[in-house]
Amino acid sequence: GNSKRIMAISVQAAVVVVTLVCGAAAASGPVQLTVTNKGVIPLPHLKIAPNSVSISGLSSGADFVVQAQIALSSVVKGVGVFAGQPYHCAITYFPGDKIVPPCYGDEDNGEHPGCTASKPAPSVPYCLGCPAGQRVTYDHCKRHPEIVNVTKLLAYAKNVSEFKLIDPIENMKGMPVYLYRGTKDACYLQGSLKNVQTFFEALGSHVQFNKTTPSAHSWPTADWGTQCGSGVIENCGYDGPGAALQHIYGGSDSQGNGGTLKKPIESVNSSLFMFDQHPFMTPDNNGNSTYNETTPHVTGFAPYGYIYIPSRCKQDNVECKLHFSLHGCGVVGGPTGDGYYDDEVHHLSFQRWGEANDIVIVYPKLQAHGGTVQTQSGCWDGYAQSGLDYSLKSGAQINALSEMIKTVSGFA
């Protein structure tokens, strides 16, 4: 009935005219990459194999890719979740939840409240199932996984699928899903990723879950970063990005064994390009000082992201795969405003696996935006801070990701 319907707000991407500097294209030869005088290329169209688009992310990026995988399952055919929460969990009430006012703080005890001069918007702007005017606490799915009712989340996903607000939920059967939680992760408590596993397995997805590596809340790598157990990119003797790609594309089993991808090789510096994100921004990219239903939904994109195009994928007769890697919160720090984003781009193993296996890697980037602690830290939206439809195809960031995928691959 009408009570089940969710109002979807469509996003219209702002159009940016880019001056192109390019040579004549041969009938069969290199893909033409047009570079502006600022060293930035428009996101290119490449020859991408059908059913080869996948996504991964850490932390808020992981929260977001769970939403995006469920919403875009006709095109996105695999996901890597490095510490994320289940679909639509952040704003769903469960029995046992603590009910709080809308501007309650980011901690269970109310610290760091919203609706202040510097943070004018609430961190949890909506709640499905709460008493009128009330909210659940921020991060309840990560801090209190024992209260999460996965059956309720599955019912929501099936409902919005029936109304075609997301792609058919049946697409998730057999979908490769890679999950990771370090044993020292103090942000996503033990049990939080188990709920994600339960959610995907109930849909028939093929899940691999590594929960034994002693990292903190981080990307785990084989050979780069801080000591395992402390940091954001940690040297744990375990190649997390490689394991995710091997499961998604190589068919490794639920224990991480097997897999048909070739071993990673050195990436090529000249194959990494900055790309222009302006065409994928909502008209109000940064957000007004306060949020309400009349405020345009915002993407929060930085001016540029990175794309790695493997050597063979620069030839227009070679069919390649496409993977998007999403950062977590905190990428707006440092004198350049890049935080650890550049370290992720340059030191995670995605590009080395991509070079060996013809996988194009795209690294979208957010900037400080909006009026919450999270958006001002450059977090991806796993909390409906960009609108009630944040987990649907019409959501600002999910729609933008879909447009990026369509630009590179032609698939929609």
Side-chain angles (χ1 to χ4, degrees):
N2 291 335
S3 63
K4 291 185 178 181
R5 294 186 180 273
I6 293 179
M7 297 301 293
I9 301 174
S10 60
V11 177
Q12 295 180 343
V15 176
V16 175
V17 178
V18 180
T19 301
L20 305 183
V21 180
C22 57
S28 179
V31 173
Q32 297 301 306
L33 301 174
T34 56
V35 183
T36 69
N37 59 4
K38 295 183 179 180
V40 178
I41 67 171
L43 192 61
H45 176 70
L46 302 170
K47 189 171 185 179
I48 303 299
N51 300 317
S52 73
V53 178
S54 66
I55 53 180
S56 67
L58 167 69
S59 193
S60 74
D63 293 342
F64 175 76
V65 297
V66 170
Q67 319 307 309
Q69 173 63 84
I70 295 298
L72 303 175
S73 61
S74 293
V75 173
V76 177
K77 296 300 182 180
V79 63
V81 182
F82 290 82
Q85 59 184 304
Y87 183 70
H88 204 257
C89 193
I91 62 169
T92 298
Y93 169 79
F94 305 106
D97 256 319
K98 181 178 182 179
I99 299 298
V100 298
C103 297
Y104 195 76
D106 286 347
E107 305 295 334
D108 281 354
N109 62 5
E111 290 182 11
H112 313 302
C115 309
T116 65
S118 62
K119 306 290 189 295
S123 293
V124 185
Y126 306 98
C127 175
L128 271 65
C130 286
Q134 299 295 297
R135 305 288 185 267
V136 292
T137 55
Y138 175 77
D139 268 357
H140 71 145
C141 300
K142 298 189 275 188
R143 295 172 180 161
H144 305 288
E146 70 282 356
I147 68 170
V148 173
N149 182 338
V150 175
T151 300
K152 188 172 186 179
L153 301 177
L154 289 163
Y156 175 85
K158 291 173 182 177
N159 177 41
V160 292
S161 174
E162 289 174 5
F163 283 106
K164 303 187 187 310
L165 299 174
I166 63 173
D167 287 343
I169 199 69
E170 294 78 16
N171 292 340
M172 292 306 302
K173 186 175 182 179
M175 190 76 74
V177 175
Y178 172 87
L179 306 179
Y180 177 85
R181 177 188 176 270
T183 61
K184 297 181 181 179
D185 191 332
C187 296
Y188 290 70
L189 300 186
Q190 188 170 0
S192 55
L193 269 292
K194 175 63 176 175
N195 288 331
V196 182
Q197 179 182 19
T198 301
F199 180 91
F200 280 115
E201 288 184 343
L203 297 175
S205 301
H206 180 209
V207 178
Q208 179 187 137
F209 182 14
N210 179 345
K211 52 188 174 182
T212 61
T213 302
S215 77
H217 185 56
S218 68
W219 293 104
T221 77
D223 53 14
W224 195 91
T226 56
Q227 182 178 353
C228 193
S230 177
V232 179
I233 302 175
E234 299 180 12
N235 183 349
C236 293
Y238 173 75
D239 184 356
L245 293 177
Q246 189 68 270
H247 184 62
I248 292 168
Y249 293 117
S252 61
D253 67 18
S254 61
Q255 302 303 310
N257 300 315
T260 60
L261 288 187
K262 299 175 184 176
K263 293 182 179 180
I265 60 177
E266 285 301 310
S267 57
V268 179
N269 290 339
S270 61
S271 293
L272 182 66
F273 301 88
M274 290 190 297
F275 75 91
D276 184 11
Q277 294 194 136
H278 286 89
F280 308 100
M281 297 176 182
T282 41
D284 180 5
N285 180 61
N286 284 320
N288 295 335
S289 59
T290 57
Y291 179 82
N292 59 61
E293 273 301 307
T294 64
T295 303
H297 289 9
V298 299
T299 38
F301 282 137
Y304 69 89
Y306 276 103
I307 179 170
Y308 182 81
I309 307 175
S311 301
R312 281 171 36 85
C313 300
K314 295 177 185 176
Q315 303 297 315
D316 61 10
N317 61 342
V318 176
E319 198 171 59
C320 293
K321 308 173 190 69
L322 177 62
H323 182 78
F324 284 73
S325 172
L326 276 61
H327 60 72
C329 301
V331 296
V332 299
T336 64
D338 290 325
Y340 62 89
Y341 171 79
D342 279 355
D343 283 341
E344 288 187 337
V345 170
H346 290 91
H347 296 294
L348 296 181
S349 63
F350 286 112
Q351 291 164 207
R352 299 196 296 276
W353 285 91
E355 186 66 28
N357 295 280
D358 300 336
I359 308 170
V360 176
I361 310 292
V362 183
Y363 305 92
K365 184 186 179 188
L366 299 187
Q367 64 185 9
H369 63 282
T372 72
V373 173
Q374 295 75 37
T375 59
Q376 292 181 14
S377 183
C379 300
W380 292 90
D381 188 14
Y383 296 90
Q385 293 177 5
S386 63
L388 183 58
D389 62 349
Y390 79 108
S391 63
L392 307 178
K393 295 180 73 171
S394 60
Q397 290 181 348
I398 288 181
N399 180 77
L401 175 65
S402 177
E403 288 299 315
M404 286 185 176
I405 293 170
K406 183 178 179 181
T407 298
V408 180
S409 68
F411 305 133

